[in-house]
Each structure stands twice: as structure tokens, then as C-alpha cells.
């Protein structure tokens, strides 16, 4: 039963992509992280079959693959919805309203952390999670959909966004590439970008992020330049 499922789910195109990932690295085992994203692009999560697939491709034990898959929060052990909604509830975003946003989405969707509203993988299904710092404190509170940013959120704006996703819409992120679904985002994280050239045309850094650099430029501030003859301390010998 297991082998039949692996042959069906992880077809030859997936095997070819796995081998392409392996070819990027001097040692095959270094390909494990992107290969787990490849598995998620196929199944929408890392199943036990996905663990075995990675182990077989990389000549690792299932225990070694499982240790990595269970360590990083980006690898999901239960099937995800069409969209993964991650609400930052770390200190600054929480103080600015992130907790209220998360509570509003929990109430609307009727689910908790890492739970899915709707049948996983089907159109309009949403997996909700609260996330640690999403590295956008200047734009908080923020949330992500499939790892694309939606900045300066409020409970009402977040509810409108999630309702649009449930209705099959894909509102444009504040920054970054046009929104896709969770599986396609995982394929990109695995390193495959076919047909996504236009993603580079999306907005990048926000004015808030660049404000300090702009003030420095306007006021003529400059960091001290490093002397051309600067001496660096010796690098300690590794033991």
C-alpha cells in the first residue's frame, strides 16, 4: 500500500526535481531542506510517505529526515489548506494589535493554531497559525498568506482578506510576488520558479523600511569609511 501511494504521489517529475535539487550540493544530504519543501508542494504537508521519499532519495534514515521535519515550523505534519495564513503575535505586533487579529480570525474560521477551516487542499480552505517574528516590525501588525506579506493590518482588514481567500480571490500582497497557493509557494521554496518571472516586478521595500536611509541621505549623514590599511584580528584556529 505504501509503495503504491509513493509511486502515485511522487511521480517521475517529482523524482526528477528531487535529483535536480541534489545536484546543487556537494553532499546529497545537504538537499534535505529544499526537498522537504518539494514534498509539501506535492502533498501540502510532510507525510510519512514524504519522509520515506526524502530518505530514499538522499540515502538517509527515516529518523534523520523526521528529526529535521519536526524541528522547523515551516514543515507541516498535517495537510494544509489552499492558503496558509500566518499572524505575527510576537511582542511588537501583539502590542499593536496582532493578538486581536489572531482572535478575530480564530473566531471567524472556527479553528485554532495549525488547524484548517474547510477540507485541506480544496479551494477556499484556510490553515491558520500564529507565528513568531515575521521580521517586519516597521510595518506591524503584519500577517502572511503563503509567506507573502500583508502589512499594517487591523482585525477588519484581516477578516476582509481571509473572506476574499475563501471566496477564491487572491488579493495582492503589500510587498513581493503575486499571491499563489500554498503548494505553489512550496515549489518556489524548493527552488523551482518556472513561469514566475513576473514575480520580480512586485513591490519590494516599503517606505517605512527605507525611511532611516532616506533621512541619512537628506541630511548628508555618512558612516565612517574603513581605512584601506585596517588590520583584522587573527582567526582562531579550529580545534
Amino acid at each position: 500500500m505504501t509503495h503504491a501511494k509513493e509511486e502515485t504521489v511522487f511521480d517521475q517529475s517529482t523524482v526528477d526535481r528531487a535529483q535536480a535539487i541534489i545536484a546543487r550540493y556537494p553532499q546529497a544530504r545537504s538537499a534535505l531542506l529544499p526537498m522537504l519543501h518539494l514534498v509539501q508542494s506535492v502533498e501540502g504537508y510532510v507525510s510519512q510517505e514524504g519522509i520515506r521519499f526524502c530518505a530514499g532519495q538522499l540515502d538517509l534514515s527515516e529518523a534523520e529526515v523526521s528529526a529535521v521535519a519536526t524541528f522547523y515550523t515551516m514543515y507541516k505534519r498535517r495537510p494544509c489548506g489552499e492558503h496558509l495564513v500566518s499572524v505575527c503575535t510576537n511582542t511588537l505586533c501583539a502590542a499593536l494589535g496582532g493578538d486581536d487579529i489572531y482572535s478575530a480570525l480564530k473566531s471567524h474560521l472556527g479553528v485554532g493554531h495549525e488547524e484548517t477551516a474547510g477540507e485541506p487542499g480544496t479551494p477556499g480552505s484556510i490553515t491558520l497559525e500564529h507565528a513568531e517574528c515575521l521580521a517586519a516590525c516597521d510595518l506591524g501588525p503584519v500577517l502572511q498568506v503563503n509567506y507573502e506579506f500583508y502589512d499594517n493590518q487591523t482585525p477588519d482588514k484581516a477578516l476582509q482578506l481571509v473572506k476574499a481567500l475563501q471566496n477564491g480571490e487572491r488579493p495582492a500582497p503589500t510587498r513581493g510576488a503575486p499571491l499563489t497557493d500554498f503548494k505553489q509557494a512550496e515549489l518556489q521554496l524548493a527552488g523551482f520558479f518556472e513561469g514566475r518571472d513576473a514575480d520580480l516586478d512586485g513591490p519590494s521595500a516599503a517606505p517605512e523600511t527605507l525611511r532611516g536611509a532616506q533621512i541619512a541621505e537628506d541630511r548628508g549623514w555618512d558612516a565612517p569609511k574603513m581605512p584601506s590599511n585596517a588590520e583584522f584580528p587573527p582567526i582562531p584556529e579550529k580545534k
Side-chain angles (χ1 to χ4, degrees):
M1 292 289 291
T2 297
H3 292 299
K5 182 178 180 182
E6 287 181 8
E7 291 173 3
T8 301
V9 176
F10 301 109
D11 58 14
Q12 187 59 48
S13 66
T14 306
V15 173
D16 292 344
R17 280 175 166 156
Q19 291 301 309
I21 293 172
I22 292 171
R24 301 173 191 162
Y25 299 93
Q27 297 185 32
R29 66 182 299 132
S30 300
L32 178 54
L33 295 183
M35 195 171 294
L36 285 166
H37 285 298
L38 177 66
V39 165
Q40 290 197 142
S41 79
V42 176
E43 293 193 290
Y45 73 120
V46 178
S47 68
Q48 196 57 41
E49 289 78 15
I51 295 287
R52 282 192 283 273
F53 175 78
C54 291
Q57 294 292 315
L58 299 172
D59 196 24
L60 297 173
S61 70
E62 291 181 30
E64 289 174 305
V65 177
S66 295
V68 174
T70 56
F71 182 83
Y72 294 102
T73 59
M74 289 181 77
Y75 302 124
K76 309 304 182 185
R77 299 313 309 277
R78 290 185 290 181
C80 280
E82 180 185 24
H83 299 294
L84 173 67
V85 176
S86 310
V87 182
C88 183
T89 55
N90 213 335
T91 307
L92 183 56
C93 276
L96 292 172
D99 284 343
D100 294 335
I101 291 170
Y102 183 67
S103 295
L105 296 186
K106 277 182 62 179
S107 177
H108 170 70
L109 295 170
V111 299
H113 177 58
E114 292 190 339
E115 295 179 348
T116 300
E119 184 67 25
T122 60
S125 56
I126 304 287
T127 297
L128 179 67
E129 67 176 2
H130 62 77
E132 289 302 315
C133 184
L134 296 179
C137 299
D138 49 342
L139 299 163
V142 299
L143 62 81
Q144 290 179 335
V145 180
N146 308 325
Y147 305 117
E148 299 294 348
F149 278 100
Y150 293 80
D151 303 318
N152 297 312
Q153 290 293 296
T154 66
D156 286 343
K157 288 168 67 175
L159 279 171
Q160 291 176 12
L161 171 61
V162 166
K163 288 177 181 178
L165 296 172
Q166 290 179 298
N167 290 331
E169 302 171 41
R170 295 188 177 179
T174 310
R175 297 172 282 129
L179 187 64
T180 182
D181 59 33
F182 177 70
K183 288 184 177 180
Q184 283 297 311
E186 286 298 305
L187 187 61
Q188 294 175 57
L189 288 170
F192 299 95
F193 302 93
E194 297 93 334
R196 305 289 305 184
D197 293 344
D199 288 0
L200 299 176
D201 298 330
S204 183
E208 292 90 338
T209 305
L210 301 176
R211 186 167 294 152
Q214 186 62 56
I215 290 173
E217 182 179 347
D218 293 344
R219 299 183 180 183
W221 295 346
D222 195 6
K225 293 181 172 55
M226 179 180 291
S228 58
N229 60 347
E231 294 186 8
F232 293 93
I235 299 175
E237 182 181 351
K238 291 185 178 180
K239 298 181 179 179

